[in-house]
Structures are given as structure tokens and as C-alpha cells.
Amino acid sequence: GDQVEQSPSALSLHEGTGSALRCNFTTTMRAVQWFRKNSRGSLINLFYLASGTKENGRLKSAFDSKERYSTLHIRDAQLEDSGTYFCAADTGGYKVVFGSGTRLLVSP
Amino acid sequence: DPKIIQKPKYLVAVTGSEKILICEQYLGHNAMYWYRQSAKKPLEFMFSYSYQKLMDNQTASSRFQPQSSKKNHLDLQITALKPDDSATYFCASSQDVRAETLYFGSGTRLTVL
């Protein structure tokens, strides 16, 4: 069954504002990764977390394996942040399972 | 320069034919993967390989066969193509197969008529 539930499916932000994306997991995951799909359709890795939080510029991610969720916070959103964001969870086997994506649109 | 090269970028095939999707990575990674994304569906795991050995296969059909001639190559042969096989196929790699950051190619968009 579905192991990764990502929300929201779509998000609109004005420049300078912020919000959070969330992934809930139906089982305990070993690690989580967050990706953004760029204009070429390539998936760019934003974060890899086995626990705790990481921050990179205006992005911050958190992962709680016990509570089975991960978040990606975007602050001071810019136009170039628009795109589709995916979380992906390491199930502990030899595969990584993806969420269905959040389509973010940042407008002036 | 892209470090994971997928060829071709676009591919059109007729039902019943056979195609090979090419993937090469120049990251020095030991693990490689194939994923598929059909319209309006999440990225779906297909295969994982480590040191050219199959580690996991979540593809129901034997029509999908990975081929690894070198450690940095993992091609995907698809036989007896069906319209439902139409999707974008992504190759990925990581340093090792467990709990590692994934790096993706730009995908091959396959359309089966």
C-alpha cells in the first residue's frame, strides 16, 4: 500500500511569504530525502536526513522517524522556488519510496 | 555537465516492439536504480543494483530487464511494449545502496503507440 502521503498537493505563495510541506509515513522509515524538479525535469536533491533537522538558505527540513513524518519549510519564497517538490523515504530495504509531490507556485 | 546521462531523451515506439533505455553515471557510485513516472502518479521504484548485482525488483513484468555491462552503466530493456508502458523513466545512482542520497538523470520519456 501507499507508504508516503505528501501534502499539500498544490501550494500558492506570494513572494516573501513562507509555508511548510509535509510527508507522513505509514511505517518507520530510516531516512528521508527532499527533491525539487527543475525546469528540465531533473530531480535535484535538496536534503538527506536520517534524523533531526537541516537548513540550507531559505529551506529547512525536519525528520522524525518515531512520529513518522518529515517537513520542508520554505521561508521568504522567491519566484525561482516555483516547481514540484517531492519527499522520498528510505524503507530500510534497497529502495526509496516517493510521495506524490507538491506543486508550488510563487507569485509576485 | 550532467553526471548521469540518459539516452534518448524522447522515444516513440510501436506496440509490440522492443527498446533499450541507456543510463551511464560518472559519479563513481556503486548503486544504480530505475524509476518510472506515469502521468499523474508518484515516481515508482523499479530496480536497484549494487556492484552490478540486482538488489530489489518491484516490477511485476519480466518484460523489463536491466542490463549492466559496467559498474557505471545500467540500461533498461523493455520488450513487447504496450501503451501502458508510456511514462518517463528515470535512472538514479547513489554511493552505496543503503540509506544514501540519490542523484537522478533527466529521464527518458517513452511513448508507446
Side-chain angles (χ1 to χ4, degrees):
Chain A
D2 294 331
Q3 295 179 286
V4 181
E5 299 170 0
Q6 186 171 347
S7 62
S9 58
L11 179 62
S12 293
L13 294 176
H14 288 295
E15 270 186 303
T17 64
S19 188
L21 285 57
R22 184 177 177 105
C23 282
N24 292 324
F25 311 119
T26 55
T27 61
T28 301
M29 300 296 183
R30 291 181 60 183
V32 69
Q33 303 182 50
W34 284 90
F35 296 86
R36 177 171 62 218
K37 188 176 262 191
N38 67 11
S39 56
R40 288 184 176 182
S42 295
L43 286 164
I44 307 301
N45 192 286
L46 300 174
F47 293 104
Y48 172 89
L49 297 99
S51 65
T53 63
K54 284 189 179 178
E55 193 164 354
N56 184 1
R58 295 177 291 99
L59 299 178
K60 181 177 179 179
S61 184
F63 173 50
D64 189 326
S65 60
K66 187 177 178 183
E67 297 299 322
R68 301 181 181 177
Y69 76 91
S70 177
T71 56
L72 177 67
H73 291 258
I74 303 173
R75 62 175 175 84
D76 187 25
Q78 302 297 306
L79 297 177
E80 60 264 28
D81 294 331
S82 295
T84 303
Y85 291 76
F86 296 91
C87 68
D90 180 352
T91 62
Y94 298 106
K95 68 177 186 180
V96 168
V97 180
F98 277 74
S100 53
T102 296
R103 189 175 296 175
L104 172 65
L105 177 63
V106 181
S107 56
Chain B
D1 288 338
K3 300 296 185 184
I4 301 180
I5 297 172
Q6 287 191 245
K7 291 185 282 191
K9 191 170 178 62
Y10 301 99
L11 186 57
V12 179
V14 296
T15 296
S17 66
E18 172 182 315
K19 293 292 180 186
I20 296 180
L21 282 56
I22 305 295
C23 179
E24 307 170 4
Q25 55 92 2
Y26 296 94
L27 293 163
H29 288 168
N30 300 314
M32 295 186 72
Y33 312 81
W34 278 101
Y35 282 80
R36 171 173 56 196
Q37 187 167 31
S38 305
K40 299 186 179 179
K41 288 186 179 179
L43 228 67
E44 175 189 9
F45 172 86
M46 298 180 74
F47 300 97
S48 61
Y49 269 66
S50 176
Y51 291 94
Q52 297 182 266
K53 287 187 179 178
L54 177 67
M55 304 306 290
D56 197 352
N57 174 2
Q58 295 290 322
T59 305
S61 173
S62 60
R63 296 185 299 106
F64 295 85
Q65 290 293 329
Q67 298 172 344
S68 182
S69 59
K70 302 179 188 177
K71 194 179 84 170
N72 70 325
H73 282 232
L74 187 65
D75 300 337
L76 181 64
Q77 179 186 43
I78 315 174
T79 57
L81 279 161
K82 302 177 180 180
D84 277 352
D85 297 332
S86 298
T88 299
Y89 291 81
F90 289 96
C91 175
S93 70
S94 62
Q95 186 60 54
D96 288 294
V97 74
R98 283 191 176 275
E100 295 285 345
T101 300
L102 284 176
Y103 295 84
F104 279 83
S106 55
T108 292
R109 185 179 292 181
L110 172 65
T111 302
V112 183
L113 303 175

